[in-house]
Amino acid sequence: MKKRFKRIIILPIVLIGIFIGTVSFKSDFFEIAKQIEIFTTLFKEINMNYVDETNPAELMDTAIKSMLTDLDPYTNYWNEQDVEAARINSAGEYTGIGALVKTGKDAITIVEAYKDYPADKAGLKAGDEIIKIGNINVADFKEDAGELLNGAPDSNFSITFIRQGETKTTSLKRSSVELDAVPFYKLLDDNSAYIVLSKFNAKASTQVAQAFKELKTQGADKVILDLRGNLGGLLNEAINVSNIFIPKGELIVTTKSVIEKYNREYFTQKEPIDTKIPLVVLVNGRSASASEIVAGAIQDLDRGVIVGARSFGKGLVQRPKELAYGTQIKITISRYYTPSGRCIQALDYRTRNEEGRAVRTKVEDYNEFTTRNGRKVYDGGGILPDVQMETSEFSDITQSLLLQDAIFDYATKYYYSHELNDPKDFNFTDSDFSEFKKFLQQSDFKYQTATERELTEMMDKAEEEDLRTKISAEVDKIRSEISAFKKQELNNKKPEIVSLLTDEIIKRYFYKEGLYEYYTSNNPEINEAQSILKNPAEYSKILK
């Protein structure tokens, strides 16, 4: 018992330290002190008196994470491993196998093997499920098993994995992995500089500038900046990327908070490369945070045309704060606002529905703002493109397909049943789409509409009021109508679903580089961007 008490006696000191650091920002001094005292005494009593042996570290981890769920999903507690992962993500370099993975309960799934890195050289493919790393079974490892894939440079290890139901083994040698912010750029046939910016790490603005300068020397006279799927990153890199096309001294983004010192305006600090070249920025529902800062500034300052679909709407600003023993809290401190004054944030985590979900701003509650040229733009979350594309949308059913890995799993099935030697030969046909729908019927895919959720809630209430049997016939009829609607919804959203299936399938054969190459001649958003850029009158009309 004494040993266990020593492990937890430092906790009040840690919490008091957190408390003291917070006092200057909060006026409810007594209430904070009171709650800390209640918590520390409760924590001590549980660890000293609970009937079974407890793990103080696990209890505290659960307590902290449970507390933070009442805030927003971006305010997170980071242990030492999380802090290191964040450093790697910002720097763009780490030592590992060179693959994007997803850790599950019993296996680690390869989502993407980067070309010419250890995972790729060892023959690993997207969809492979790693079940054993060295002598360690993934299912037996309580921490994040994905960490076992990282390690010292040139260190060797073996893995056991399952591919299409067959168990295989292979050996890998870890190496340094450098993640480029700009994985692809190319001068298109119409002299458009096509630049893909996949993340806002420390290399982002430097690599965009280098790519842009190189393509200009090759004859580029217009630019397509692709921010689709870019989830964001470093704020200063968003400012610097904007600065490539926007003059020095321009306001790019404002942060606002209840804490005065976090209220800031961020301006461009450098001389730009080109402020006149026609520019199109591509965004979609996976373009977030720093991507939205760039797109919002370009749109509000009428510097270029935004094409695609409404961006994600992640306008909450986080800052890491040091805690004890190498841990941190990544805490939301303010909100982002574009130059016109629009708030980027889509969901209001201060207001939640009956299910505890954050409420999205309704269209009728959007506020109107104006760009520098006087164009009308609106808040409500994210950046609404000047030209909207059906193929860029992420509807409810598409989101469900992504979340349940239906598109990923079908791409795996497709890869092992079709040969493809050149991306130019690929075409996802109507017959392929019919096969995809059959695949969904045979899988565990489930899609619940908002109406279905409300109907379930209504029937639960009807049960309490003894009305269930009286209205069951009508409810069954409604459910039949919903079922028919859901089947039709797959066809209604075919363009966006096919677009995502195409992306996932092309990557399986030709890596990300092959996908971007395929884009340059087959992607609807790029084709639309080229159409706008080659027509100066249309380009000017959109901006004026």
Side-chain angles (χ1 to χ4, degrees), residues 208-277:
V208 172
Q210 289 173 344
F212 183 34
K213 289 176 181 177
E214 182 180 327
L215 295 176
K216 282 193 74 174
T217 62
Q218 295 177 20
D221 55 15
K222 41 195 173 292
V223 183
I224 302 171
L225 180 62
D226 195 342
L227 299 180
R228 290 175 296 175
N230 186 323
L231 297 175
L234 301 175
L235 170 60
N236 65 306
E237 287 300 298
I239 309 300
N240 292 336
V241 168
S242 303
N243 200 171
I244 292 170
F245 308 103
I246 293 173
K248 181 179 180 180
E250 288 281 6
L251 176 66
I252 299 299
V253 67
T254 301
T255 59
K256 297 181 182 179
S257 171
V258 295
I259 302 168
E260 187 175 349
K261 76 173 186 176
Y262 294 139
N263 294 333
R264 289 193 59 185
E265 293 180 326
Y266 294 87
F267 296 84
T268 49
Q269 301 293 320
K270 305 175 183 179
E271 293 300 327
I273 296 177
D274 194 327
T275 62
K276 301 297 182 183
I277 191 168

Side-chain angles (χ1 to χ4, degrees), residues 11 16 25 61 251 319 343 396 399 443 449 459 462 525:
L11 179 68
I16 289 170
F25 304 108
D61 196 67
L251 176 66
R319 177 173 295 179
C343 181
D396 287 346
Q399 294 281 15
S443 70
T449 66
M459 289 301 285
E525 286 77 11

